[in-house]
Structure formats: C-alpha cells, structure tokens
C-alpha cells in the first residue's frame, strides 16, 4: 500500500506561507546558478558564432589573439599563393589581410573609457563574413579616413554614430556606415582600410590573414604545410576554433566564480528546506502515527516526505528559471581577457542549462529533506499517537 502523490502536494498547499518562503530561497539560488551558466554560454556563443567553419585564420605562432600577432608582407604573400584558397564570384581569391589594433573610446553619457577593437580590412573582408550586413550609410572609400562602426559601437560610444567623427592615431576618422553583425564579436568592432590603419599607427605588419577554404577537408594538409615551413613562424586555425579559444578562459572563470557563489548560497537554501521539513514532521506526529497504524510502512512515510521536499525544490527551481529567462533580454559588455578589448554579449538560455538548473534544485531538495524524512519514518507508532 502506497501513500498517494496528492498527499504530499496537499501538505505543501496547506502550509502555503512556509512553502512560498522556502521555495523563494531555492528560487534565488537557482536564479544565480542559471544566470551564471547563461552568462558563460552567451559569451561562448557570441565568440563561436563570430567564426565560420570553412574560414581559416593564420596568425603568428604562440599568439593568443590577433591583437598580439604579427604577419609580415612576405609571409602574407606566401599564404596568398596557397592552392587551398577559394575563389569568389569575381574570380578573385577570398582572402583578407587584416590588422587589429586597440583604441580607447568614451561611452555615451559618461567619460568612462573602454578599449575598442579596430579592424583594418580589405575588399574581401565583407564577403568572408556573410553575417555582417551594412544597415546604414555606405562602404568607406579605399585610401580614405573613413570607417564603419558596428551598431553596438554606434549606440554605446561617443563619435560612433553615422556621420560622427572619431579621433585616434592623430587623425580624424569619419563614420560613413553602420553595420550589424548580429550576436557576434564583430558587433563590438570598428572597421576601416587596412593600409590606412597601418600608416596611421606606424605598424608595418598585418595581424592576421583570413581566407575561405576551397574544400573543407583540405584544412589539415594546409595547416601541416604552413606550420612546418621554415620561412614562416605562423599557425593556422579554423575560424570557429580560434574564437572558441578566445572564449575559454573567461567562460571558465565565470563558471567557476558562479558555481562557487551558488554553492555558498545553496547551503542556506538547503538549511531552510531542512528546517521546513523538520517543522512539518514535528507538527504532524499524530498524522504520521495514524498512517503507521493504518498499515503504511516506514518506507512509504520516507518516500512521502522526500516527495514533499522534492516538490518544494522543484517549485523553487521552476520559479528561479522563469526569472532567469528574462535575463536574455539584457546585453552586457565586459573586457575580453584574450584581446583586452570590450565585448558585448547577451545571456543565453539552453536546454542544457534548464535541466542542470532543475537537477540542481532537486539535489538541494533531496539533501534538505532526507534527514527529516528518516526522522518521520522512524517515529514510534505509540509515541506518535500519544503525542496526539
């Protein structure tokens, strides 16, 4: 004979105030847990979606990012001559020699400075990135001090809007176009002519060479040949792998920090659940004695009280996830530790985060309810009825 599931649910409903307060504590913990995972996933997703699997990034060996890389013109010419490079519709090679530099800009509404990534591009840079769309204005003229600003830059930084002027490298640069790159890292960049940036910043080398593969399986052969060439000190990565590497350090830090805070908060939630369940046992000794007298076994009592605790935690977990889901409407910006430039990204809720959060809440409920459930199950029938 088993105790019906509705018994546990009715007991929670009877103690509505206690249920709400305990579930709220668990909801707060799950909210923090889910938000941190969403933050790390949003960062990872933003950087990974920046790259294309068929694009290859060539940078200097041991460079963590394009900012720290250097590819001289001779090396770039060697890369440009490789047979694995795809051809565009105009018959030209889909290859871009780019330069990446950091500049300090002030935010709108304040004078707080942030490091922003400038990308010197050429005519093949846009075809290599189909996710980048020009939404306002026009493309910069080659050889001019004209630039494109990402929509995120235009909104957040002084001088980044269409027709406005930015000053860096002792020159004035006019924003003639605004582009949108969706949920990618490019939406935190400013683009201009690579040759003009090299002259203005007195930098004689490129930061990277980007090209599209003619045939995706040819990547490994190209990588081995380039990295073993004694004339070159370069390494090749698929663009998706390059941006995944960019996200690893910061995403790992966010996850560790968030999990540490969550564990600390969860201790309070578990203690709260335990107190609630102990109080329920103490207030229902006569009820427990009656159930035992009616023939229900100890394990039935144990399971009933555990289900009650798990229901309590599940309610809190669902509430915490509900509030965490609204974080997806927020966009935050922080420094990318690999490039030291600002990166804007959004929280991202995935199925994996949902089930991890609910599982975490159920674990809290189990830990908080198992001892009170054992206490209820091992109560003496005579003592329980006498207390009544």
């Amino acid at each position: 004979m088993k105790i019906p599931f509705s018994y546990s649910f009715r007991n929670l409903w009877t103690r509505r105030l206690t249920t709400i307060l305990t579930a709220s504590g668990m909801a707060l913990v799950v909210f923090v847990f889910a938000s941190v995972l969403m933050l790390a996933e949003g960062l990872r997703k933003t950087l990974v979606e920046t790259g294309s699997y068929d694009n290859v990034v060539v940078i200097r060996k041991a460079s963590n990012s394009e900012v720290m890389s250097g590819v001289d013109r001779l090396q770039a010419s060697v890369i440009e001559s490789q047979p694995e490079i795809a051809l565009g519709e105009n018959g030209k090679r889909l290859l871009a020699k780019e330069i990446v530099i950091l500049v300090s800009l002030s935010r709108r509404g304040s004078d707080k400075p942030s490091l922003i990534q400038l990308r010197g591009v050429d005519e093949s840079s846009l075809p290599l990135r189909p996710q980048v769309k020009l939404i306002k204005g026009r493309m910069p003229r080659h050889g001019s001090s004209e630039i494109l600003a990402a929509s995120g830059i235009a909104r957040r930084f002084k001088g980044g809007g269409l027709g406005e002027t930015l000053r860096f490298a002792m020159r004035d640069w006019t924003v003639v176009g605004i582009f949108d790159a969706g949920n990618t890292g490019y939406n935190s960049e400013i683009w201009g002519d690579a040759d003009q940036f090299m002259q203005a910043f007195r930098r004689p080398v490129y930061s990277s060479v980007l090209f599209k593969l003619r045939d995706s399986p040819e990547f490994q052969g190209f990588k081995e040949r380039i990295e073993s060439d004694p004339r070159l000190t370069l390494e090749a990565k698929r663009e998706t792998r390059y941006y995944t590497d960019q996200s690893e350090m910061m995403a790992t830090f966010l996850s560790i920090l968030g999990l540490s805070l969550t564990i600390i908060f969860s201790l309070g939630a578990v203690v709260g659940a335990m107190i609630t369940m102990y109080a329920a046992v103490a207030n229902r000794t006569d009820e427990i004695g009656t159930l035992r007298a009616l023939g229900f076994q100890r394990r039935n009592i144990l399971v009933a009280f555990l289900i009650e605790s798990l229901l309590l935690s599940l309610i809190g977990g669902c509430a915490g996830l509900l509030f965490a889901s609204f974080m997806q409407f927020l966009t935050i910006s922080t420094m990318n530790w690999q490039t030291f430039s600002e990166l804007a990204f959004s929280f991202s809720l995935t199925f994996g985060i949902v089930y991890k959060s609910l599982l975490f809440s159920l674990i809290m409920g189990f830990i908080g309810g198992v001892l009170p459930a054992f206490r209820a199950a091992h109560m003496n029938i005579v003592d329980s009825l006498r207390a009544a």
Side-chain angles (χ1 to χ4, degrees):
M1 188 164 55
K2 296 181 179 179
I3 298 176
F5 176 80
S6 57
Y7 169 80
S8 299
F9 184 81
R10 283 198 304 269
N11 280 314
L12 289 178
W13 180 251
T14 301
R15 297 177 286 109
R16 289 188 291 274
L17 179 59
T18 305
T19 298
I20 291 172
L21 291 176
T22 306
S24 297
M26 290 189 165
L28 178 60
V29 177
V30 173
F31 171 81
V32 174
F33 179 79
S35 296
V36 170
L37 293 182
M38 289 168 62
L39 187 64
E41 181 61 26
L43 171 66
R44 189 178 293 111
K45 185 177 179 181
T46 294
L47 287 173
V48 171
E49 288 188 357
T50 301
S52 171
Y53 185 74
D54 288 332
N55 285 354
V56 176
V57 178
V58 180
I59 57 177
R60 188 182 63 200
K61 282 183 178 178
S63 299
N64 293 325
S65 68
E66 293 171 284
V67 174
M68 293 176 273
S69 173
V71 181
D72 64 39
R73 294 180 184 272
L74 177 60
Q75 292 174 325
S77 298
V78 173
I79 301 300
E80 195 172 10
S81 65
Q82 301 304 307
E84 290 86 358
I85 301 172
L87 299 178
E89 296 178 356
N90 56 4
K92 292 185 178 181
R93 290 174 177 266
L94 285 174
L95 177 142
K97 293 172 283 188
E98 300 181 341
I99 179 172
V100 176
I101 301 168
L102 299 180
V103 296
S104 178
L105 298 181
S106 298
R107 295 176 179 274
R108 295 188 187 276
S110 72
D111 292 323
K112 184 179 179 181
S114 293
L115 290 177
I116 301 301
Q117 197 162 272
L118 299 181
R119 184 177 296 275
V121 298
D122 63 24
E123 59 181 7
S124 296
S125 295
L126 201 57
L128 283 167
R129 299 176 174 95
Q131 67 271 50
V132 178
K133 307 292 183 184
L134 184 68
I135 57 174
K136 291 181 181 179
R138 58 175 176 82
M139 294 296 294
R141 292 171 297 183
H142 181 71
S144 68
S145 297
E146 296 178 342
I147 55 176
L148 292 177
S151 56
I153 297 294
R155 286 194 307 270
R156 301 196 308 272
F157 290 92
K158 295 178 181 179
L162 185 64
E164 295 182 327
T165 301
L166 291 170
R167 184 167 182 82
F168 50 82
M170 301 180 68
R171 285 170 62 175
D172 290 328
W173 305 79
T174 303
V175 179
V176 297
I178 304 295
F179 67 85
D180 181 72
N183 188 31
T184 69
Y186 298 130
N187 223 26
S188 298
E189 294 185 350
I190 294 173
W191 289 10
D193 184 83
D195 291 331
Q196 291 300 305
F197 281 176
M198 293 175 78
Q199 292 175 19
F201 288 94
R202 294 177 174 81
R203 182 167 174 172
V205 297
Y206 298 106
S207 298
S208 65
V209 177
L210 176 70
F211 68 87
K212 184 179 179 66
L213 285 167
R214 179 183 58 187
D215 191 11
S216 187
E218 293 181 335
F219 169 73
Q220 194 58 38
F222 168 83
K223 177 180 175 67
E224 292 173 358
R225 187 170 65 254
I226 290 300
E227 294 183 357
S228 62
D229 192 326
R231 299 172 298 170
L232 309 174
T233 54
L234 305 175
E235 63 178 334
K237 296 182 180 181
R238 289 190 185 272
E239 196 178 21
T240 48
R241 178 72 255 176
Y242 170 78
Y243 282 107
T244 299
D245 292 343
Q246 295 283 297
S247 69
E248 280 182 352
M249 181 185 295
M250 191 168 179
T252 301
F253 170 78
L254 289 173
S255 298
I256 293 174
L257 177 63
L259 290 176
S260 300
L261 292 173
T262 302
I263 290 172
I264 295 171
F265 292 155
S266 67
L267 294 176
V270 168
V271 170
M274 194 175 294
I275 292 172
T276 299
M277 295 308 298
Y278 269 124
V281 172
N283 292 330
R284 289 153 59 189
T285 54
D286 55 336
E287 186 179 312
I288 294 169
T290 303
L291 290 172
R292 294 283 287 117
L294 289 173
F296 289 101
Q297 297 180 359
R298 295 182 188 277
R299 67 170 177 269
N300 301 131
I301 305 294
L302 175 69
V303 171
F305 274 83
L306 266 181
I307 289 176
E308 193 171 322
S309 181
L310 291 174
L311 275 173
L312 185 65
S313 64
L314 184 61
I315 293 170
C318 291
L321 266 177
L322 175 64
F323 287 108
S325 66
F326 290 105
M327 300 295 287
Q328 295 178 99
F329 298 104
L330 298 179
T331 298
I332 66 171
S333 59
T334 186
M335 185 180 72
N336 183 346
W337 292 352
Q338 295 288 96
T339 63
F340 305 105
S341 62
E342 179 167 298
L343 177 68
F345 58 96
S346 302
F347 291 77
S348 179
L349 182 63
T350 64
F351 175 76
I353 293 174
V354 171
Y355 91 77
K356 287 178 183 177
S357 300
L358 292 179
L359 179 61
F360 179 69
S361 68
L362 290 174
I363 290 172
M364 286 195 296
F366 179 82
I367 295 173
V370 66
L371 290 179
F374 268 107
R375 177 177 174 80
H378 287 82
M379 277 187 169
N380 185 278
I381 299 177
V382 175
D383 292 339
S384 299
L385 293 175
R386 185 181 297 144

